[in-house]
Amino acid sequence: MTADDLIDLVEMHAGALTLYARQWTDSPDDVVQTAFLKLVRLPIPPDNPVPWLYAVVRNAARDARRASRRRNKYETRRAEQTAPWFAPSDDPTGLDGEAATEALAALPDDVREIVIAHLWGGLTFEQIAATVGGSASTAFRRYQAGIAALRDQLGVPCPTRK
Amino acid sequence: MTPDLPPHGPSGRRTPFEWSLAALRPADSGAERPSFMFKAGQASRDGEVRFWRWAAVGCGLLLAAGAGAGGWLIADATRRAEVAEARANRAENPTPQPPPRSGEGEQEQIFAATERSGGSAAAPFSRGEDTPPLPSPASAERPWERGPGGEGYTTPNPTPKDIAAALQLRRDILVAGLGMIPDGKLIGTPVPTSPGEWDRHWATPSGVLTTPKITPKKPTPIADPDDDVPPIPDRE
């Protein structure tokens, strides 16, 4: 992997990977950075590095969450709630970042990770199924359930079918 | 930056709510880009550094093995040179050879020692009553034991050390060859010049110290068996 390839990957996917890791750990930057360093150390990089990065970040973030829970349960949860997940939006008509953060945090873990991986990570449902386990159709159903729950949380009416 | 979302679901359509959610930009990661890229560059070289590290260790081991082998070879050559020098010194300054006992040659000395020991099966060459008496060493048949002035080739009163040195020199000659023969700088003693004289001097059987002259024999011609066979007469 060349340095240019690594720079492109970092610029395109570092933010989404950080958001993906933030749902488990209070230090998502370290987890994402470690995942990129692991990718660089591979003698033969994977054909599609993006799903590979999401799988590595997922495992590392969940391990970090378990370790932080063993150390100090309550302080970690407080840190996770205060860190902003989204940058301030310039569009006043768009969704509120803080509200979206609260709505995402309220989702179950398995639903939330699928929503983040698909909406902000750009993974297909097949790739998501390979990362989290299960089938692509199961991943799609959970995604649809997550979108419906977010719509209710944020008060966005469901479009009526004609 | 909103990534290009792949078609999802069976319909492949995306709702406006999903587009609104995707428009939210994730917060920038706190990692400093330059330091991260530096660490990534270091990580990409880890494998290469590890390879050259082990290669250097291997080369070091080979060099150490080569140095050890070279040192051993030098030490071995030095030891051999010292042994050759010691032998050369002994050849140049030999210990005077022990003379035979008064009235006896070397063989008689051995027989006499065997007799004194009582003679046993371990000494099958001991002289018994039926063994014919050995010739007198001072007989005319063995004139080589006397030099031009009759003083003999040996010191008059050899010590056990002299005898041991003479036997050692004889063993060296028989083992290593005629090169071990001293220069013959015995004071006042003539040196045998021909191999036959050395045979007589060391009481060895004839031809031990003499290289027989080998004359190559001409190969005998193989007779043609057809030479003596009469021709077959023609039948009429």
Side-chain angles (χ1 to χ4, degrees):
Chain A
M1 174 174 290
T2 64
D4 291 338
D5 295 338
L6 180 64
I7 290 173
D8 291 341
L9 271 177
V10 171
E11 288 182 351
M12 287 183 62
H13 298 282
L17 283 167
T18 304
L19 175 63
Y20 188 66
R22 212 182 280 279
Q23 52 184 321
W24 291 293
T25 178
D26 60 342
S27 56
D29 303 329
D30 296 337
V31 170
V32 170
Q33 190 164 328
T34 304
F36 276 109
L37 292 178
K38 279 186 179 178
L39 176 64
V40 168
R41 288 198 183 96
L42 288 177
I44 302 175
D47 294 335
N48 196 348
V50 175
W52 184 90
L53 283 169
Y54 272 89
V56 171
V57 164
R58 180 176 187 268
N59 295 332
R62 290 159 71 93
D63 292 340
R65 185 186 195 185
R66 279 190 227 107
S68 66
R69 277 182 173 176
R70 281 193 296 269
R71 282 196 301 272
N72 196 328
K73 181 177 181 180
Y74 301 105
E75 291 180 3
T76 302
R77 291 213 171 178
R78 199 175 302 122
E80 286 176 351
Q81 293 171 359
T82 55
W85 289 22
F86 298 101
S89 175
D90 297 332
D91 182 10
T93 61
L95 294 173
D96 181 27
E98 291 183 5
T101 301
E102 290 181 8
L104 277 171
L107 291 177
D109 291 348
D110 55 345
V111 173
R112 182 176 58 242
E113 65 175 320
I114 293 174
V115 170
I116 292 176
H118 182 68
L119 273 182
W120 289 279
L123 272 61
T124 63
F125 289 108
E126 288 76 15
Q127 293 171 338
I128 292 172
T131 301
V132 306
S135 63
S137 59
T138 302
F140 175 70
R141 281 196 299 273
R142 289 182 180 172
Y143 171 79
Q144 293 283 58
I147 291 297
L150 287 174
R151 193 190 299 276
D152 290 341
Q153 283 277 332
L154 296 174
V156 176
C158 181
T160 55
R161 290 183 181 181
K162 292 184 178 179
Chain B
M1 181 180 72
T2 307
D4 292 334
L5 295 176
H8 69 291
S11 63
R13 290 177 298 173
R14 200 177 309 281
T15 64
F17 176 66
E18 292 173 86
W19 283 114
S20 299
L21 277 174
L24 291 172
R25 186 166 57 89
D28 289 334
S29 60
E32 294 180 4
R33 197 58 58 86
S35 65
F36 167 69
M37 293 306 294
F38 178 78
K39 288 182 183 177
Q42 275 188 325
S44 67
R45 288 178 54 252
D46 281 351
E48 196 174 332
V49 168
R50 201 178 304 122
F51 168 77
W52 285 111
R53 194 172 291 160
W54 282 109
V57 168
C59 288
L61 288 174
L62 282 175
L63 279 174
W72 181 84
L73 287 173
I74 291 173
D76 187 59
T78 305
R79 180 181 60 82
R80 288 174 185 273
E82 288 175 354
V83 168
E85 184 179 354
R87 285 187 172 177
N89 287 337
R90 189 169 55 194
E92 290 179 357
N93 302 307
T95 305
Q97 297 150 20
R101 282 193 196 177
S102 54
E104 292 182 349
E106 185 176 348
Q107 292 179 347
E108 285 69 19
Q109 290 181 9
I110 295 173
F111 292 157
T114 307
E115 280 186 344
R116 283 192 294 275
S117 66
S120 62
F125 301 107
S126 61
R127 190 165 48 162
E129 294 181 356
D130 297 329
T131 308
L134 295 172
S136 168
S139 65
E141 298 176 354
R142 301 172 67 166
W144 58 85
E145 291 188 355
R146 294 192 302 276
E151 66 279 13
Y153 288 112
T154 58
T155 56
N157 297 315
T159 63
K161 186 177 177 181
D162 296 335
I163 296 172
L167 291 175
Q168 176 70 28
L169 180 60
R170 175 180 173 182
R171 190 188 73 117
D172 290 346
I173 291 174
L174 293 175
V175 170
L178 297 179
M180 298 304 296
I181 296 175
D183 290 341
K185 293 183 181 177
L186 301 172
I187 299 175
T189 58
V191 178
T193 54
S194 66
E197 291 182 356
W198 280 111
D199 275 334
R200 290 188 292 274
H201 176 74
W202 286 105
T204 52
S206 175
V208 170
L209 298 178
T210 306
T211 305
K213 183 178 179 182
I214 300 175
T215 306
K217 293 168 61 177
K218 290 184 180 179
T220 56
I222 300 174
D224 190 351
D226 295 333
D227 286 347
D228 298 334
V229 175
I232 300 173
D234 294 335
R235 292 188 177 178
E236 293 183 358

